[in-house]
Amino acid sequence: MGFSYQEEKQKSKEKIKKCKVEDIWQILGKRWALSTLKNLSTHKSMRFSEIKKQQPGLSSTVLSSRLFELEKEGLIQKKIYPEIPPKVEYKLTKRAKELESILEDLGKWADRWNQ
């Protein structure tokens, strides 16, 4: 016996939802992405060198790549000041601030499983 229209519709919705989670995890799952967001969440804004100092072992190349990807996804905002030398600051967007509680819960969950 085949699936009903409602069952097919529900399966399609579940597949779309799964894809959206996988899509965001492609960004957040990259090394240094979550720790960069966490560091930005504890400050109003941060400069590149400040972010790098907070994450020992993170290369400038990888940090540049992560900041670019997070900005492209609308999770951080980059502000360039017209100065010499140029001053650049990064901060979380409203979209990323919504993630803070989710990441906090994820951290608590991880702590319980790491005991």
Side-chain angles (χ1 to χ4, degrees), residues 2-18:
F3 292 108
S4 72
Y5 173 75
Q6 290 298 329
E7 289 171 323
E8 288 292 333
K9 190 174 177 182
Q10 182 63 31
K11 283 186 178 189
S12 178
K13 284 182 182 179
E14 289 172 6
K15 186 176 182 180
I16 289 169
K17 184 183 270 187
K18 181 180 177 187

Side-chain angles (χ1 to χ4, degrees), residues 88-114:
V88 179
E89 291 182 339
Y90 299 89
K91 68 179 185 176
L92 294 182
T93 62
K94 288 181 183 178
R95 184 176 181 191
K97 287 180 182 179
E98 291 176 11
L99 272 174
E100 287 179 321
S101 62
I102 295 167
L103 295 176
E104 186 177 318
D105 288 343
L106 183 60
K108 289 176 185 175
W109 176 82
D111 287 344
R112 284 194 304 272
W113 282 98
N114 286 327

Side-chain angles (χ1 to χ4, degrees), residues 5-114:
Y5 173 75
Q6 290 298 329
E7 289 171 323
E8 288 292 333
K9 190 174 177 182
Q10 182 63 31
K11 283 186 178 189
S12 178
K13 284 182 182 179
E14 289 172 6
K15 186 176 182 180
I16 289 169
K17 184 183 270 187
K18 181 180 177 187
C19 290
K20 289 179 183 178
V21 170
E22 288 174 356
D23 290 346
I24 194 65
W25 200 251
Q26 290 294 317
I27 301 302
L28 298 180
K30 289 186 178 182
R31 188 165 187 200
W32 304 107
L34 288 175
S35 59
T36 299
L37 289 174
K38 184 179 183 306
N39 283 320
L40 284 168
S41 74
T42 61
H43 298 82
K44 184 176 179 180
S45 65
M46 294 179 79
R47 296 184 71 176
F48 185 93
S49 60
E50 295 170 326
I51 299 168
K52 191 169 181 320
K53 282 180 196 172
Q54 295 288 319
Q55 301 178 87
L58 172 59
S59 72
S60 295
T61 303
V62 172
L63 177 56
S64 292
S65 178
R66 290 304 163 266
L67 291 170
F68 176 79
E69 292 163 352
L70 294 169
E71 182 184 15
K72 189 173 92 174
E73 293 300 320
L75 296 172
I76 63 170
Q77 182 179 16
K78 176 181 177 180
K79 183 172 183 179
I80 303 171
Y81 294 89
E83 300 175 359
I84 297 179
K87 177 182 174 184
V88 179
E89 291 182 339
Y90 299 89
K91 68 179 185 176
L92 294 182
T93 62
K94 288 181 183 178
R95 184 176 181 191
K97 287 180 182 179
E98 291 176 11
L99 272 174
E100 287 179 321
S101 62
I102 295 167
L103 295 176
E104 186 177 318
D105 288 343
L106 183 60
K108 289 176 185 175
W109 176 82
D111 287 344
R112 284 194 304 272
W113 282 98
N114 286 327

